[in-house]
Amino acid sequence: MEKKWHSVLALVVVTGLLLSACAAPKSPAPAPAPAPSSAAATPAAPKPGATREQQLIEAIKAAGEKEVVFWTLSWYSGPVEQAFEAKYPFLKLKAVDMSAELEPRLVEEYKAGRYNPDVVMVPLYRAVRLQSAGILQEYPFPNWPNTWPGQPKHNFWRNTQDSLRLPMYNTDRVAPADVPKSWQDLDNAKWRGRSIISTSAGSWIIGYAYELGDLTKEGAKWDRTVSFWKKVVETTRPRVGTGFKGPLDLVVVGDVDIMLVSAATTGLYNIRRGAPVDFAPLKTTTADPWSVALPKFPPHPNAAQLLIDFLTSEEGVIAADIFPNPTRHPNMMKKAIANQYYAGKGTQIIYVPDELAPEAMYPEADNIWIRDVIGRR
Amino acid sequence: MAAVTRSGPRFSFFTTRNIILVLVAAFVILLAIIPLFFLLWNSFKDVSGGRVADFGLGNFSLTNFVQAYASPQTFLYLGNTFYFAIGTMVVALVFGGVIAFLVERTNTPLRNVIYGLMFIPLIMPGMLKAIAWVLLLSPRVGILNKLWFSLGFTDPLFNAYSMPAMWWVEGLSMSPLVFFMLGAALRAMDPSLEEAAYTAGANRVTTLFRVTFRLMLPALASVSLLMFVRGLESLEVPLIMGSGEGIMVYATQIYFALKVFTPPKYGEAYVFSIVMLALAFLGVFLYQRVMSRSERCVTVTGKGYRPRLMNLGKWRPLMAVFVLFFLFVAFILPFLVLAWVSLLPYLQLPSAAALANVSLKNYADLFNRYDFPIVMKNTAILAAAVGVGGMLLALIISWMVIRLKPKGVRFLDTAAFLPMAVPSIALAFSFMVLFLRLPIPIYGTIWILVLAHLIKYLPMATRFTHTGLSQIHRELEDAAASSGASFVAVQRRILIPLLLPSLVSGGLYILMLTVKVFSIAAVLYTPDTMVFSVYVYQLWDRGGANEVGALAVVMVVFLTALTIVARKLTQGRGMQIAG
């Protein structure tokens, strides 16, 4: 009996393995399979005199679209979700947190023709990677022309806002006279044993390299940038954290006094709740762009366009403005709370010219920080 | 103890029993081997540029191994990993083992309370638990160090950012597993053997070491192995308490490779995982050698059985103090920190000023969220399916491994154990790649989450059932079978009732892990199948520790109630019914 038992089991297992091997994706990835629905980039059957928004709404109702799936970072989606659903109550905005784990998932689902994003909004370096994977499609972005400053020449995405990086300190533990006024002030032994640095920095270091003159039309050298930050790390010997929330919590609670490079979003969240932390009022800081894009084959193509148009409208900018990423919308830059907040601190945001920082530089910049500055390999 | 000859089953292959056994074995082997195959195959492939996997037949290389091991630091991290896992295992065994013995075999007070409270640390999100301990042990602002300073000392007593602190926190976190597994084994042990030792003149210490410990050897080996492998895979404590000061272990290396680098270094992560797998293989080998002798440790036979409690006598108050101390430092203190955090708008240490900020706003915000009920419903389905399904699956596997012992059974046993050493994220990716392409419509549903968690936690479930089953003699089943009971009837009417406490403990344990652990759900969830662990992460990402604290307190209260109810329902059942 045992022989037969084993034969049957072996047969089942081998069949299963063969099945899974057949199911495995080939490499390099094949052309994407057709998605569940068409990817019309413009609403169908325009009615004479109807606005683009009205046409989209009619198309949504005609196609029976009830939801729109928005892949972005979760802290961003909340306020947008509320404002969008209030304006378009016939649509449910479903947010998917595009954390690091989900990016490869998106690519794999796309290859299998079984993915669901209607709209993505991510840091620029991730948009570059999604485009390399063939996921993004061009879209006219009627509310946000690429002739505006800081926009790509193509139509795969728009850079709508910027994530900022600034030192954050504990106001109970750092005397006003000691608060850094420039990045150079961080290179000081008084911070030894009192500071923390995060492995996460995004592509922010591009902006710092621009400020130091490491970016030229001939290319990026990084020498001065890396040697400055390595010196800061050697001088201060900071504790090393990951992400932005955890390290800043240690500043909030007083376990360390200063986070050398903090994300503005996390910082402002704590300030608004009354935590004893503040940004160091540097004269300048640089911008790390965030991009909104339309994937190919969105399952709800009309709702996707409606959401993109909303995000790129002045109304959408206001909805997202309760969080502290300054907008790049030229009509809103002076009005937006986030922009005003930094201007009020005396901090000027420096934008890196496209010709000095090609898009391909962004995905690599993050690694320079981790590998060459923090020393993790 | 009665010696029973294994009666050869009547030859008839297509019986209900064989069909169930083949299907279960195939299911387990397939789903357990797939992530292993995924990991091994892709560790030899150049999966750079953010690709998760490459299943082409070319492009094999050792690049990932070279990159991972080119740095001498890697070997330092290997040492740290081993050191951390061993230290954690020792702390967990000491605390979990002693408490299990006191609760199950003595008349120590508060036994039911302890049982309920032992589940608390399992549900506390790992990230918050580590932060809670930082707030307690930080050399600068830690509450315990501040108390120490108030006594006039200037140097801190504790250092949260050190290896001993990591052992302490992780070891205490794991002690519930030791408690439940050893507790189940201790409950199943026939005290007449110990009583015989006393009758023969042995004192308590001699009896403990020469009878009790020997009988417990399979369970101890099983638990030690689990603790060691869990120590290898533990992430949050080394990440928050160790990596900042350069105490890196393999789990943090994998985390850095996958989460910090752009694009993620999948190849290197797979290679690091293979070292963990190799250590796990070694553990399984050693464990199986111990288990092969488990027949000697059978204590529950068909001849009647009733466990009795040891009277602690004058030691009872002292043991009660020990248990209370343990409960306080292991659970109550971190839980109080968590509860405190949940009442505040941002992270603060206790003070008069902080007291003015206390409110229930985080709870109100949580209950007002439209997606909270959806998350709870999905979590309940997932947890119940994994808890119940996992233990039934584990029971059948254990029955095959311990009772049927067909040729190659070690392969099945090993296959059922290996997912434990496969990093959750690699397991999740392998399921994603597979089910995206198979014509089985579970991708994007709650059921793919159920499957992935079932396989991931099957090793733990089988440790509970292996331990329980190895202590029940087969003569009970043989007697039932010879009376005409079917395979299903034997399982339903004899084994399941006898093993009920073990099944409930194991079910609750894997249920808790399923609810809490983030990595698998993070890769496989959709907005419609959002579960607690992903929700915790998103709340954390949107806000901070405070809202998550509120959510964690709600879950701790709910799950504590669940465990107390489960305990009440199974009290007085299980092995005792055989008596």
Side-chain angles (χ1 to χ4, degrees):
Chain A
M1 177 265 171
E2 279 188 356
K3 259 190 182 172
K4 194 160 186 176
W5 196 91
H6 282 106
S7 309
V8 174
L9 182 57
L11 189 67
V12 173
V13 171
V14 169
T15 309
L17 283 173
L18 282 174
L19 193 60
S20 59
C22 294
K26 304 293 181 288
S27 179
S37 63
S38 73
T42 49
K47 272 189 183 173
T51 63
R52 177 180 166 79
E53 184 189 36
Q54 286 166 340
Q55 289 173 34
L56 280 171
I57 290 171
E58 280 187 22
I60 286 165
K61 289 181 176 169
E65 294 173 13
K66 304 276 184 212
E67 63 185 39
V68 55
V69 183
F70 185 26
W71 285 53
T72 187
L73 295 191
S74 58
W75 59 262
Y76 176 80
S77 60
V80 169
E81 195 175 303
Q82 285 170 16
F84 183 77
E85 288 180 1
K87 186 169 185 191
Y88 304 109
F90 50 91
L91 279 175
K92 172 86 199 103
L93 190 151
K94 287 188 171 173
V96 179
D97 183 61
M98 191 141 173
S99 54
E101 293 90 347
L102 287 217
E103 194 178 310
R105 167 177 148 182
L106 189 62
V107 174
E108 291 298 319
E109 288 182 345
Y110 173 70
K111 285 183 202 167
R114 292 177 66 174
Y115 78 158
N116 70 352
D118 288 311
V119 177
V120 295
M121 181 156 188
V122 288
L124 174 58
Y125 67 91
R126 286 197 182 178
V128 173
R129 287 213 300 266
L130 292 180
Q131 191 197 8
S132 318
I135 290 177
L136 304 182
Q137 66 169 307
E138 289 196 282
Y139 182 67
F141 295 94
N143 295 337
W144 201 296
N146 63 0
T147 50
W148 285 358
Q151 298 307 317
K153 299 288 177 273
H154 53 72
N155 280 326
F156 283 104
W157 61 75
R158 289 292 183 269
N159 299 326
T160 56
Q161 53 178 274
D162 292 287
S163 179
L164 303 187
R165 300 285 182 269
L166 285 162
M168 288 215 76
Y169 66 97
N170 185 307
T171 51
D172 292 339
R173 289 185 167 269
V174 178
D178 283 341
V179 174
K181 306 292 186 297
S182 67
W183 290 110
Q184 281 69 27
D185 286 351
L186 296 177
D187 183 19
N188 191 317
K190 73 183 173 191
W191 302 121
R192 184 171 292 185
R194 299 171 64 196
S195 58
I196 190 162
I197 199 165
S198 173
T199 53
S200 313
S203 42
W204 156 86
I205 200 168
I206 289 175
Y208 192 76
Y210 171 63
E211 278 199 87
L212 283 190
D214 268 355
L215 304 186
T216 63
K217 286 187 177 170
E218 287 72 44
K221 288 181 183 167
W222 303 110
D223 300 358
R224 278 172 283 196
T225 309
V226 170
S227 68
F228 170 74
W229 279 102
K230 278 179 85 167
K231 195 156 172 283
V232 170
V233 169
E234 280 164 19
T235 307
T236 59
R237 292 187 193 163
R239 192 177 295 159
V240 179
T242 53
F244 292 107
K245 292 257 186 297
L248 190 63
D249 274 345
L250 294 181
V251 179
V252 168
V253 84
D255 196 36
V256 285
D257 294 344
I258 188 165
M259 184 167 173
L260 299 177
V261 183
S262 169
T265 45
T266 328
L268 201 60
Y269 176 87
N270 277 284
I271 290 171
R272 285 177 173 166
R273 292 194 145 214
V277 285
D278 203 356
F279 298 111
L282 307 191
K283 285 189 181 133
T284 57
T285 189
T286 51
D288 197 8
W290 271 55
S291 315
V292 63
L294 178 68
K296 287 178 186 166
F297 314 114
H300 312 98
N302 300 297
Q305 293 173 67
L306 193 67
L307 177 58
I308 288 194
D309 289 358
F310 176 78
L311 292 170
T312 51
S313 68
E314 292 189 4
E315 195 177 355
V317 169
I318 292 167
D321 191 36
I322 66 161
F323 277 88
N325 275 357
T327 180
R328 286 195 174 192
H329 195 300
N331 301 343
M332 299 297 293
M333 284 179 84
K334 286 189 178 169
K335 296 179 204 164
I337 300 166
N339 295 66
Q340 287 176 12
Y341 179 82
Y342 295 103
K345 284 266 187 196
T347 302
Q348 189 196 345
I349 302 165
I350 305 288
Y351 297 94
V352 184
D354 293 350
E355 60 271 23
L356 298 185
E359 284 161 358
M361 183 188 282
Y362 280 81
E364 177 54 18
D366 199 23
N367 289 340
I368 290 172
W369 179 258
I370 301 160
R371 188 184 57 222
D372 299 334
V373 175
I374 309 284
R376 295 276 197 261
R377 287 174 191 281
Chain B
M1 155 183 348
V4 174
T5 310
R6 283 184 62 185
S7 54
R10 280 179 297 140
F11 182 81
S12 168
F13 184 76
F14 292 102
T15 61
T16 310
R17 185 192 84 162
N18 289 348
I19 290 168
I20 291 172
L21 296 184
V22 168
L23 287 178
V24 166
F27 173 82
V28 168
I29 291 172
L30 263 179
L31 290 185
I33 283 182
I34 282 166
L36 191 66
F37 169 74
F38 176 89
L39 205 57
L40 284 170
W41 180 273
N42 286 297
S43 64
F44 290 99
K45 304 289 288 201
D46 180 14
V47 280
S48 57
R51 277 184 302 163
V52 174
D54 172 4
F55 288 98
L57 293 176
N59 299 325
F60 285 99
S61 82
L62 292 171
T63 310
N64 298 323
F65 288 86
V66 172
Q67 283 175 352
Y69 290 96
S71 164
Q73 279 185 323
T74 303
F75 297 96
L76 175 70
Y77 298 159
L78 179 61
N80 283 344
T81 307
F82 202 76
Y83 196 41
F84 174 66
I86 293 282
T88 297
M89 181 186 81
V90 170
V91 172
L93 282 175
V94 167
F95 280 104
V98 170
I99 303 288
F101 184 80
L102 289 173
V103 168
E104 298 296 346
R105 300 302 308 275
T106 74
N107 62 344
T108 194
L110 303 172
R111 294 164 67 227
N112 279 334
V113 176
I114 296 166
Y115 192 94
L117 289 175
M118 286 301 269
F119 277 99
I120 291 178
L122 296 179
I123 194 55
M124 285 167 76
M127 198 71 82
L128 276 187
K129 189 161 42 185
I131 287 174
W133 276 103
V134 165
L135 295 181
L136 288 165
L137 302 181
S138 158
R140 196 173 184 199
V141 294
I143 296 166
L144 298 181
N145 278 322
K146 282 197 160 182
L147 288 174
W148 180 248
F149 296 146
S150 70
L151 297 175
F153 296 96
T154 51
D155 290 329
L157 181 63
F158 304 106
N159 181 4
Y161 309 108
S162 64
M163 185 63 92
M166 289 161 59
W167 288 339
W168 173 259
V169 176
E170 194 65 47
L172 287 183
S173 303
M174 290 187 186
S175 56
L177 180 58
V178 178
F179 170 84
F180 291 121
M181 290 190 65
L182 289 187
L186 281 162
R187 213 176 306 147
M189 190 189 291
D190 186 352
S192 65
L193 296 168
E194 291 164 324
E195 283 163 11
Y198 294 138
T199 310
N203 61 27
R204 282 186 182 183
V205 176
T206 309
T207 307
L208 188 68
F209 283 96
R210 299 194 63 177
V211 179
T212 314
F213 273 10
R214 286 191 180 188
L215 286 171
M216 291 295 294
L217 199 59
L220 271 171
S222 172
V223 172
S224 302
L225 171 66
L226 269 186
M227 291 304 99
F228 180 73
V229 178
R230 286 269 294 150
L232 295 178
E233 210 205 8
S234 294
L235 173 66
E236 285 97 341
V237 169
L239 184 67
I240 289 177
M241 300 174 74
S243 68
E245 299 296 321
I247 308 173
M248 298 285 287
V249 297
Y250 269 19
T252 41
Q253 279 292 89
I254 291 170
Y255 175 87
F256 273 77
L258 292 178
K259 291 272 287 187
V260 176
F261 284 94
T262 308
K265 296 178 170 182
Y266 292 108
E268 281 187 51
Y270 298 155
V271 167
F272 288 130
S273 305
I274 282 175
V275 174
M276 286 164 64
L277 265 175
L279 288 169
F281 260 122
L282 180 67
V284 172
F285 172 74
L286 295 172
Y287 165 75
Q288 284 179 339
R289 281 185 67 86
V290 174
M291 283 303 283
S292 66
R293 304 180 193 176
S294 65
E295 194 83 359
R296 296 178 196 176
C297 305
V298 168
T299 54
V300 181
T301 70
K303 292 184 176 173
Y305 160 80
R306 188 174 297 280
R308 283 164 222 160
L309 301 180
M310 183 191 292
N311 186 1
L312 288 171
K314 62 182 179 184
W315 295 98
R316 199 164 178 253
L318 192 66
M319 290 300 109
V321 170
F322 172 77
V323 169
L324 286 174
F325 168 78
F326 172 76
L327 285 176
F328 184 73
V329 296
F331 314 133
I332 296 171
L333 206 53
F335 180 73
L336 285 177
V337 173
L338 196 63
W340 168 254
V341 165
S342 74
L343 297 171
L344 295 167
Y346 58 90
L347 220 51
Q348 287 169 280
L349 293 169
S351 68
L355 213 54
N357 289 330
V358 164
S359 78
L360 293 174
K361 186 176 180 306
N362 292 324
Y363 291 90
D365 289 349
L366 182 67
F367 294 132
N368 284 333
R369 291 179 60 89
Y370 82 93
D371 48 0
F372 181 68
I374 300 168
V375 170
M376 292 298 110
K377 182 185 141 206
N378 286 336
T379 307
I381 295 171
L382 174 67
V386 174
V388 175
M391 293 317 291
L392 287 178
L393 208 56
L395 178 62
I396 296 172
I397 291 166
S398 293
W399 191 83
M400 278 193 269
V401 169
I402 291 170
R403 290 288 191 269
L404 195 59
K405 293 182 180 168
K407 274 183 191 169
V409 73
R410 282 193 178 186
F411 180 67
L412 174 64
D413 196 18
T414 306
F417 187 80
L418 284 177
M420 181 153 184
V422 178
S424 300
I425 199 155
L427 186 137
F429 278 137
S430 66
F431 270 59
M432 177 186 81
V433 169
L434 178 72
F435 285 100
L436 263 172
R437 286 158 179 85
L438 281 182
I440 301 171
I442 65 165
Y443 190 82
T445 70
I446 195 78
W447 301 109
I448 191 167
L449 288 169
V450 170
L451 263 190
H453 284 93
L454 260 183
I455 289 301
K456 178 66 188 169
Y457 298 125
L458 193 60
M460 290 170 206
T462 52
R463 293 321 99 175
F464 279 89
T465 48
H466 273 27
T467 306
L469 200 60
S470 66
Q471 292 184 301
I472 296 175
H473 203 284
R474 61 176 297 134
E475 66 186 24
L476 293 167
E477 298 148 58
D478 289 343
S482 61
S483 306
S486 68
F487 169 71
V488 175
V490 169
Q491 300 282 326
R492 190 169 60 82
R493 300 188 63 181
I494 296 181
L495 286 181
I496 291 179
L498 277 173
L499 288 169
L500 200 59
S502 289
L503 293 175
V504 169
S505 293
L508 284 171
Y509 185 73
I510 60 172
L511 178 153
M512 305 273 176
L513 289 176
T514 301
V515 169
K516 185 178 72 165
V517 173
F518 168 69
S519 313
I520 295 174
V523 175
L524 299 173
Y525 91 101
T526 69
D528 294 327
T529 59
M530 172 92 77
V531 290
F532 175 77
S533 56
V534 180
Y535 203 54
V536 162
Y537 180 83
Q538 294 202 356
L539 277 182
W540 170 275
D541 198 41
R542 286 182 186 194
N546 309 90
E547 291 88 342
V548 182
L551 181 58
V553 166
V554 170
M555 286 305 280
V556 166
V557 169
F558 175 74
L559 288 168
T560 304
L562 178 71
T563 56
I564 290 171
V565 170
R567 171 76 171 172
K568 287 278 176 203
L569 291 177
T570 55
Q571 220 165 21
R573 302 189 65 182
M575 305 276 185
Q576 293 177 358
I577 69 169

